[in-house]
Amino acid sequence: GNSVTQMEGPVTLSEEAFLTINCTYTATGYPSLFWYVQYPGEGLQLLLKATKADDKGSNKGFEATYRKETTSFHLEKGSVQVSDSAVYFCALISNTGNQFYFGTGTSLTVIP
Amino acid sequence: GAVVSQHPSRVICKSGTSVKIECRSLDFQATTMFWYRQFPKQSLMLMATSNEGSKATYEQGVEKDKFLINHASLTLSTLTVTSAHPEDSSFYICSARGGGQYEQYFGPGTRLTVT
């Protein structure tokens, strides 16, 4: 079956620290992989995506590389800001289906 | 880019009443819409999938008579929580997908509080 496993939070970092949020997946077929961000009280916003192996998604300084050999899609940012404080969800959609599978979310708090 | 709106953003209702939440795709035709529920500090749980003009497909454990979904047009789906109870209080999020696409676009969510 399809599933996403995310690093448990919460994560607290100082401003300008390096961020990694781990995400691994199990999927049938060749999934597309996503990172969504949810700011307090808001819905989900697409942060980045990758649709095939070795693709790198990037946006707003965040990056994630689709690693088929390790079934991973870890989210990284070199220097976080206070405004990055949010909950981050890793997700996949299988190319054989139409349903998103979300990880449990990782809460990030960046302190000045 | 594709925009999905939800209305209302927040609603408070009394136990036993019904509440309707609207989900609209503003700049594309959504052949499929999805309804999710999110509990505090948890991930999204898919409740149901609806295709325009068809009956919704509900996920296991979701009461179809309690959560009525209507997808009457290519730009509008509604979720009605009937006879709401405090345990129905949650954050409800819809998403929409256009024909021939796999990517879903999420609405901003509706916070439902049942007193």
Side-chain angles (χ1 to χ4, degrees):
Chain A
N2 298 309
S3 67
V4 175
T5 302
Q6 241 181 281
M7 173 175 130
E8 285 192 22
V11 174
T12 302
L13 295 173
S14 297
E15 206 164 21
E16 299 183 4
F18 184 85
L19 168 71
T20 299
I21 301 178
N22 290 338
C23 171
T24 56
Y25 67 90
T26 303
T28 54
Y30 302 95
S32 293
L33 303 174
F34 304 80
W35 277 101
Y36 282 87
V37 58
Q38 185 179 34
Y39 298 101
E42 299 183 15
L44 271 67
Q45 298 176 27
L46 178 63
L47 181 61
L48 54 84
K49 66 180 180 181
T51 58
K52 61 183 187 297
D54 299 326
D55 269 2
K56 177 186 282 188
S58 60
N59 186 26
K60 300 181 182 178
F62 291 89
E63 293 184 339
T65 301
Y66 188 142
R67 301 282 188 202
K68 191 168 186 290
E69 63 276 13
T70 54
T71 61
S72 64
F73 193 55
H74 304 322
L75 182 68
E76 295 182 337
K77 186 174 186 181
S79 176
V80 293
Q81 305 300 312
V82 172
S83 57
D84 294 327
S85 298
V87 180
Y88 293 82
F89 291 93
C90 185
L92 72 82
I93 190 165
S94 170
N95 68 335
T96 60
N98 65 1
Q99 181 178 340
F100 263 91
Y101 295 85
F102 287 91
T104 51
T106 301
S107 174
L108 169 67
T109 301
V110 180
I111 54 177
Chain B
V3 179
V4 175
S5 70
Q6 277 185 245
H7 177 80
S9 58
R10 292 177 181 272
V11 58
I12 300 173
C13 71
K14 291 187 177 180
S15 190
T17 62
S18 295
V19 174
K20 180 184 285 188
I21 302 169
E22 293 185 349
C23 176
R24 292 182 185 273
S25 58
L26 299 185
D27 51 3
F28 68 102
Q29 294 186 325
T31 52
T32 307
M33 286 186 167
F34 304 83
W35 286 95
Y36 295 85
R37 183 174 180 177
Q38 185 181 28
F39 293 98
K41 300 184 179 181
Q42 294 188 29
S43 190
L44 282 73
M45 180 191 79
L46 180 65
M47 299 174 66
T49 302
S50 72
N51 293 297
E52 185 264 338
S54 302
K55 287 185 177 180
T57 302
Y58 290 81
E59 295 299 305
Q60 192 171 7
V62 178
E63 299 175 62
K64 62 180 180 182
D65 294 330
K66 180 166 187 61
F67 299 99
L68 301 179
I69 292 171
N70 183 281
H71 191 167
S73 77
L74 286 171
T75 59
L76 173 65
S77 176
T78 60
L79 167 68
T80 301
V81 183
T82 61
S83 187
H85 289 283
E87 57 265 29
D88 299 324
S89 299
S90 193
F91 195 53
Y92 292 88
I93 301 176
C94 74
S95 69
R97 186 181 70 190
Q101 299 180 25
Y102 65 86
E103 188 165 341
Q104 296 177 26
Y105 301 93
F106 287 83
T110 297
R111 172 78 58 196
L112 170 64
T113 303
V114 184
T115 60

